[in-house]
Amino acid sequence: MSDVLAVAEHRRGDLRDVSFELVTAGRDLADAAGGDLHVAVIGGDVDGFAEELNREGVDTIHTISEGEEFNHDVYTQTVEALFDELAPELLLLPNTVNGLDYAPAVANSLSLPLVTDAIDVEYGDELAVTREMYGSKVETVVEVDADRVALTIRPGEWPPAESTGDAEISQFDVSIDESAVRSTVTGFQEVGGGDVDITDADVLVSVGRGIEEEENIALVEALADTLGATLSSSRPIVDNGWLPKNRQVGQSGKVVTPDIYIAIGISGAVQHVAGMKGADTIVAINTDASAPIYDLADYGVVDDLFDVVPALIEAFGGEPPAL
Amino acid sequence: MKVLVAVAEVADVEDEFEIDGLAIDEQYLNYDLNEWDDYAVEAGVQLQEAGDDVEVVSVTIGPERADETIRMALAKGVDRAVRVWDENLEATEYLDSETKADVLAAVVEDEQPDLVLTGVQSDDTAFGATGVSLAEEVGFEWAAVVNDLEYEPGSDTASVHRELEGGVEEFTDVELPAVLTIQTGINEPRYASLRGIRQAQSKEIAPKTLDELGLDASVTDSAVSLTELYEPETESDATLFEGSPDEEADQLAELLRDEGVEA
Ligand SMILES: Cc1cc2nc3c(=O)[nH]c(=O)nc-3n(C[C@H](O)[C@H](O)[C@H](O)COP(=O)(O)OP(=O)(O)OC[C@H]3O[C@@H](n4cnc5c(N)ncnc54)[C@H](O)[C@@H]3O)c2cc1C
């Protein structure tokens, strides 16, 4: 039998969306491999989570009551124990910050080849995994020649499993070796706040690394002022300290859904896109016609922002700053 | 104490490029220090400046060309470096994270560091797995995606913030020895000073082969192989404005007005 074991993710009382995407991906693979789909949920309100995870296609849900929140030492030991018990062919984990905090350890410890950040998977003679390289400029297929494989899947690539299923729910007991728990989560903090809330804005003028220098931020600031828009940015701008953290759009920043999102000198890396793909109208200004932002954009200007943005300010009757 | 910083030289692809078989043609690639590793180097150098007796050593897996990149880390204050390469690695088509972790583990055995810093991911392959695989391999504790580090050299615990999704940070205490994967924004990487660049010339970059690290060539055996590399079909159905920048800006302005933007 070629079973699949997927491990759900939750945080602060809620299952994360990727958990239901794992069910979809897991079911597809289990079908192709001719096996069962097992889903595990570790820690927190496992019974409540199990009820929610009981979607069509899940054969068994394993609940493991260990702790409230994610602790990678506990997750690592638990997943290893469950893997030993079930001996699945495929271990599916989320390619999230926490997924990447334990998937490589589990894979290494179980001597499983690991492929991370899968955007597509085909199960044939060998498992063929599609992933991106060079900042989404190319796609690759890697094949895994092994009986058992660990895989992390990119959030947002598989539709979430919706309808209710009739999975068996089974409690799994694991005895945690406390001496091997050498990290302690001591708390959480919400970052952000500050002067503006970019999630409220109808129009966002968003600036990325294409702006090159801190002084040049004045140019996009002037555009935002002229348009009555709010200024946001990709991560490098915040990392450089050119704009405060509450302006960052993306996976680790804010998720925004404005009417109009103008991405200026932003390539459209997956972690950025995670924060803005819900905008109604997306406009990109980028010299690179093959930048991934154009896969998402409704309108584009493939040209130098230092020529286009001043002209746009003028077209609205404003005056571009001297740089 | 000793801090080992694993750094990688990564390739950036030019806007226009051509693919040659399973690789991008060399002429379209520009090599540089991996963005995330630059922050890891800075974190290491800051620890060295904060403690009396802290040595920072960099390790990389890469060909001789990578010396140029390692010199950048040395110019920023890293004390010395180790570069692992030989004909077996050269002949390996696909260096997966398991192989990298095994090689780095041998260097950890050699160097016996208290703390290992790596970047969260490499800009080119974006596997995001080497640091945590390495930790498991050598039995160190770890933390992934660290964007704040409080550590007194000599102490046996580090307090870190891990950056989760959606603007949430997790606070975690990690026992040493540990591997931390460093996220961008944790600090402000310094530029190499002229003096640093000069000093870097006389610092050691020790080349090592797998054999010298006590590793068998079979360490490069991998179940994972690259079978295709292609430019994804563009999914773009964007309307592109054309003409001079002024003309483009006028068309864009018209669109924005239609969408209700009023200056
Ligand atoms: C765990 C994790 C979390 C992350 N979270 C986030 C997040 O929340 N938000 C986020 O944004 N990123 C995040 N990132 C980083 C992300 O991977 C990218 O590094 C980042 O989004 C790149 O920003 P950018 O597009 O501004 O820069 P680049 O990718 O460097 O793109 C710059 C673009 O500007 C264009 N350009 C250059 N010059 C000009 C010019 N003169 N005129 C016009 N265009 C020009 C270039 O063609 C290029 O496309 C995260 C990464 C990780 C690993």
Side-chain angles (χ1 to χ4, degrees):
Chain A
M1 263 220 302
S2 302
D3 292 349
V4 176
L5 169 62
V7 184
E9 176 163 315
H10 60 88
R11 184 186 303 153
R12 300 163 101 191
D14 291 315
L15 283 168
R16 304 195 69 226
D17 295 345
V18 70
S19 301
F20 304 104
E21 297 161 16
L22 280 161
V23 169
T24 304
R27 185 67 255 166
D28 286 353
L29 285 165
D31 281 344
D36 283 351
L37 173 61
H38 298 262
V39 174
V41 61
I42 308 164
D45 173 18
V46 288
D47 296 328
F49 291 151
E51 224 169 280
E52 270 189 83
L53 286 165
N54 191 354
R55 304 272 158 121
E56 200 180 325
V58 181
D59 294 294
T60 312
I61 299 171
H62 304 269
T63 59
I64 302 100
S65 305
E66 285 291 340
E68 277 306 305
E69 290 289 348
F70 174 80
N71 173 299
H72 66 223
D73 296 314
V74 171
Y75 266 58
T76 303
Q77 288 189 40
T78 305
V79 173
E80 283 171 22
L82 196 55
F83 191 91
D84 282 343
E85 167 94 12
L86 301 172
E89 181 172 349
L90 270 167
L91 176 62
L92 274 190
L93 304 175
N95 200 76
T96 53
V97 170
N98 281 347
L100 289 174
D101 194 39
Y102 79 106
V106 171
N108 202 65
S109 164
L110 294 171
S111 300
L112 304 175
L114 169 70
V115 182
T116 61
D117 206 17
I119 57 171
D120 198 9
V121 187
E122 272 190 54
Y123 186 98
D125 290 342
E126 281 179 11
L127 191 74
V129 186
T130 308
R131 43 190 327 280
E132 294 180 338
M133 233 174 115
Y134 300 114
S136 309
K137 283 191 173 166
V138 297
E139 267 177 28
T140 63
V141 176
V142 294
E143 286 188 2
V144 194
D145 179 15
D147 297 338
R148 304 189 187 285
V149 181
L151 197 64
T152 70
I153 68 163
R154 177 182 292 181
E157 294 293 320
W158 277 265
E162 306 265 2
S163 34
T164 317
D166 54 0
E168 180 191 331
I169 296 182
S170 148
Q171 188 182 319
F172 181 74
D173 293 318
V174 50
S175 60
I176 299 292
D177 172 6
E178 292 296 336
S179 70
V181 177
R182 290 168 292 163
S183 69
T184 318
V185 178
T186 59
F188 293 95
Q189 187 187 7
E190 213 79 53
V191 289
D195 53 335
V196 275
D197 186 352
I198 58 171
T199 63
D200 274 348
D202 295 329
V203 183
L204 281 173
V205 169
S206 208
V207 56
R209 182 147 43 194
I211 199 71
E212 288 171 9
E213 305 277 342
E214 182 168 16
E215 302 85 272
N216 301 341
I217 297 280
L219 181 63
V220 279
E221 224 159 16
L223 178 64
D225 282 349
T226 306
L227 300 180
T230 303
L231 186 62
S232 61
S233 81
S234 67
R235 179 174 189 122
I237 303 299
V238 170
D239 284 343
N240 287 342
W242 299 348
L243 284 176
K245 178 98 190 158
N246 62 359
R247 305 281 180 148
Q248 182 180 317
V249 172
Q251 173 192 305
S252 47
K254 297 259 170 73
V255 175
V256 296
T257 49
D259 298 336
I260 301 174
Y261 188 84
I262 309 178
I264 303 176
I266 292 177
S267 63
V270 52
Q271 297 93 350
H272 184 76
V273 165
M276 45 68 73
K277 57 175 186 250
D280 273 350
T281 300
I282 297 169
V283 180
I285 303 175
N286 195 312
T287 41
D288 178 8
S290 60
I293 190 76
Y294 284 114
D295 289 343
L296 229 70
D298 301 290
Y299 299 93
V301 179
V302 182
D303 217 328
D304 193 327
L305 73 91
F306 293 104
D307 297 324
V308 178
V309 175
L312 188 58
I313 294 172
E314 280 168 0
F316 274 96
E319 193 173 323
L323 294 179
Chain B
M1 71 172 280
K2 196 189 282 185
V3 181
L4 184 69
V5 186
V7 297
E9 184 185 68
V10 294
D12 182 30
V13 185
E14 288 182 7
D15 290 354
E16 304 286 330
F17 62 90
E18 278 167 43
I19 289 170
D20 179 12
L22 288 177
I24 291 177
D25 221 78
E26 206 42 53
Q27 71 192 95
Y28 304 105
L29 300 177
N30 303 304
Y31 292 93
D32 205 348
L33 176 62
N34 179 38
E35 183 178 2
W36 280 264
D37 300 348
D38 197 15
Y39 291 82
V41 165
E42 179 63 33
V45 171
Q46 285 186 9
L47 287 172
Q48 173 207 55
E49 289 168 344
D52 276 343
D53 194 15
V54 181
E55 187 186 26
V56 185
V57 182
S58 270
V59 54
T60 197
I61 303 170
E64 204 172 333
R65 186 196 59 225
D67 277 356
E68 213 179 303
T69 297
I70 303 172
R71 291 254 178 247
M72 256 155 51
L74 293 171
K76 291 177 182 211
V78 168
D79 296 302
R80 60 183 172 83
V82 176
R83 181 173 59 77
V84 187
W85 200 246
D86 65 7
E87 66 282 356
N88 296 304
L89 287 162
E90 176 90 53
T92 307
E93 268 175 32
Y94 199 65
L95 270 187
D96 71 355
S97 49
E98 189 188 348
T99 304
K100 287 186 204 167
D102 287 346
V103 171
L104 293 176
V107 175
V108 168
E109 300 282 322
D110 242 18
E111 295 281 347
Q112 298 285 323
D114 305 276
L115 191 62
V116 180
L117 306 176
T118 74
V120 164
Q121 61 173 32
S122 307
D123 225 351
D124 47 7
T125 58
F127 251 81
T130 303
V132 175
S133 297
L134 168 64
E136 202 285 332
E137 186 67 31
V138 295
F140 281 20
E141 188 50 30
W142 73 88
V145 193
V146 168
N147 72 343
D148 190 57
L149 167 62
E150 266 175 52
Y151 178 69
E152 288 287 325
S155 141
D156 52 16
T157 310
S159 295
V160 305
H161 293 188
R162 295 182 53 236
E163 185 189 73
L164 307 181
E165 294 86 357
V168 177
E169 291 192 359
E170 176 197 282
F171 300 171
T172 306
D173 290 339
V174 185
E175 280 178 27
L176 262 52
V179 179
L180 307 178
T181 79
I182 301 296
Q183 172 67 311
T184 60
I186 184 176
N187 51 39
E188 223 175 289
R190 70 194 65 195
Y191 288 100
S193 65
L194 276 177
R195 188 160 157 265
I197 293 168
R198 228 173 330 161
Q199 282 174 344
Q201 295 307 324
S202 56
K203 290 182 182 175
E204 179 192 18
I205 304 178
K208 296 251 176 183
T209 61
L210 293 181
D211 195 36
E212 285 168 324
L213 288 169
L215 292 169
D216 205 71
S218 67
V219 74
T220 61
D221 292 349
S222 168
V224 185
S225 56
L226 188 67
T227 57
E228 288 179 49
L229 185 143
Y230 52 90
E231 268 190 87
E233 259 175 54
T234 172
E235 290 161 26
S236 179
D237 48 12
T239 304
L240 300 181
F241 298 123
E242 283 177 19
S244 69
D246 282 337
E247 288 161 356
E248 289 165 336
D250 284 342
Q251 298 166 60
L252 178 52
E254 196 182 317
L255 165 85
L256 293 174
R257 284 202 185 91
D258 285 349
E259 298 259 345
V261 177
E262 281 162 45

